[in-house]
Amino acid sequence: MIRNPVPWPDGARCAVCFTFDMDAESILKLAHPQRAHSMVSTASMLRYGPDVAVPRILDSYRHYGIRQTFFVPAWCAERYPRAVEAMIHEGHEVSAHGYVHEHPNELSDEDERRWLQRSLSALRAVSGEPAAGWRAPLYNFSHRSAELLLEAGVQYDASLMGDDVPYLLHTPRGRLLELPSHWAMDDWPPFMHSIDLNFQMPIQSPAGAWSTWWDEFEAMWEFGGLWIPVWHPFLSGRLARWRMSHTMIGRMLDRGGVWFAPMRDIAAHIKRCIDDGSWSPRIESQPHGPE
Ligand SMILES: [Zn+2]
């Protein structure tokens, strides 16, 4: 069903990377610049991410011996350096996710470039290494983003939804690797509910949410795809939800044929496959011209 399934390492059936976007209070600060400081309960919900959930998530990854990827707004890295240092110390990837979760497609040309550069340099100052990848806050990738990311030396993007397997964004400046996901893999629809953040959903049980994610996993496993959940520590790192995810990681490992890797390793593998001719990606022009 996938026209160009990827030859994953060691004959694996699919690649898996749990990606956590550690947004913490950046989203509250962005939505309510004047009032965020007085929205104490919502702030506490968001701070649960770096303070409680990240150590828990790292414990599970250590238990199973897997390394994964965190996308962190640089403002959050500056505010929660210990969480970022723990991710790096344990061999996980920390990649970029804006400065204070600003939306690139709502910025001017000059502002998008300036905020991208600021987010990359400020994140690097905390993590100690350049970010290999980027996810646009709230998937708000602009018509300029691919070229700006190439200009900044970013290796891959993880904001788009255009395929089941990696693909290339062709721009006048060169080609950027896209590692796609989609909304069904995001934990906001099943778990997010916040009146202050204007997002109200009927909250699902962990099993209900996992039923969708497991269906996606089965399909990717069968056809050679890429399974990338887009999760948030303050949502999926909550106790009952992460307890279930801990169990499900074990189930995936027991199934076999699953390559768990940080996004930067998946990107490096894909680039090797393209270079040695063992795999050909679909190529999409970016930006798309007028219809
Ligand atoms: Zn985010």
Side-chain angles (χ1 to χ4, degrees):
M1 287 203 183
I2 293 177
R3 292 226 168 146
N4 58 339
V6 177
W8 298 115
D10 301 322
R13 304 290 300 259
C14 67
V16 163
C17 184
F18 286 83
T19 64
F20 271 99
D21 298 355
M22 196 190 83
D23 294 335
E25 300 108 301
S26 64
I27 51 179
L28 190 61
K29 196 173 153 59
L30 186 74
H32 301 287
Q34 310 304 326
R35 294 180 54 228
H37 68 284
S38 68
M39 295 172 153
V40 176
S41 180
T42 300
S44 74
M45 173 185 81
L46 298 167
R47 272 204 306 275
Y48 183 99
D51 288 344
V52 180
V54 167
R56 173 179 294 151
I57 293 161
L58 294 178
D59 283 350
S60 291
Y61 291 167
R62 193 181 321 114
H63 172 84
Y64 288 117
I66 60 174
R67 289 177 304 118
Q68 302 285 268
T69 294
F70 293 85
F71 291 97
V72 182
W75 180 85
C76 301
E78 290 171 336
R79 202 172 173 87
Y80 298 100
R82 277 197 305 244
V84 172
E85 286 157 14
M87 294 165 189
I88 295 285
H89 178 71
E90 306 228 9
H92 303 292
E93 174 188 358
V94 174
S95 270
H97 191 48
Y99 182 71
V100 64
H101 216 271
E102 66 283 351
H103 298 163
N105 63 3
E106 295 168 7
L107 299 174
S108 68
D109 293 10
E110 203 37 56
D111 282 351
E112 180 174 1
R113 177 181 278 111
R114 192 164 55 83
W115 282 107
L116 173 63
Q117 287 168 351
R118 182 170 179 189
S119 70
L120 292 170
S121 62
L123 183 65
R124 184 176 187 164
V126 178
S127 74
E129 45 191 59
W134 164 265
R135 174 172 290 140
L138 204 55
Y139 307 108
N140 280 325
F141 196 88
S142 85
H143 59 289
R144 300 168 295 249
S145 298
E147 282 189 78
L148 290 175
L149 292 168
L150 285 164
E151 175 186 294
V154 171
Q155 303 291 308
Y156 71 86
D157 175 69
S159 315
L160 305 189
M161 309 190 183
D163 211 327
D164 309 301
V165 289
Y167 60 107
L168 292 177
L169 304 177
H170 180 79
T171 81
R173 186 175 282 276
R175 287 174 174 177
L176 179 67
L177 178 62
E178 176 63 38
L179 302 180
S181 189
H182 63 114
W183 268 109
M185 297 297 294
D186 195 296
D187 61 1
W188 274 52
F191 293 152
M192 182 56 169
H193 182 92
S194 167
I195 291 165
D196 283 345
L197 290 164
N198 197 26
F199 198 92
Q200 296 168 59
M201 296 290 285
I203 292 175
Q204 288 187 38
S205 67
W210 257 104
S211 139
T212 301
W213 295 325
W214 191 260
D215 285 351
E216 296 284 340
F217 169 71
E218 292 271 15
M220 293 304 187
W221 191 91
E222 185 173 348
F223 298 113
L226 181 62
W227 191 82
I228 303 177
V230 181
W231 290 0
H232 302 80
F234 80 92
L235 293 174
S236 288
R238 282 271 165 187
L239 190 63
R241 298 167 186 167
W242 190 250
R243 171 174 171 263
M244 176 138 194
S245 295
H246 181 97
T247 303
M248 299 307 269
I249 294 171
R251 192 169 296 177
M252 289 174 161
L253 287 163
D254 289 346
R255 156 87 57 112
V258 181
W259 184 43
F260 281 88
M263 299 283 268
R264 66 181 172 211
D265 291 13
I266 295 174
H269 172 73
I270 292 294
K271 286 187 175 169
R272 275 194 300 275
C273 290
I274 293 172
D275 288 346
D276 69 17
S278 59
W279 183 72
S280 295
R282 199 170 60 77
I283 300 171
E284 185 176 290
S285 286
Q286 188 61 229
H288 272 290
E291 295 297 322

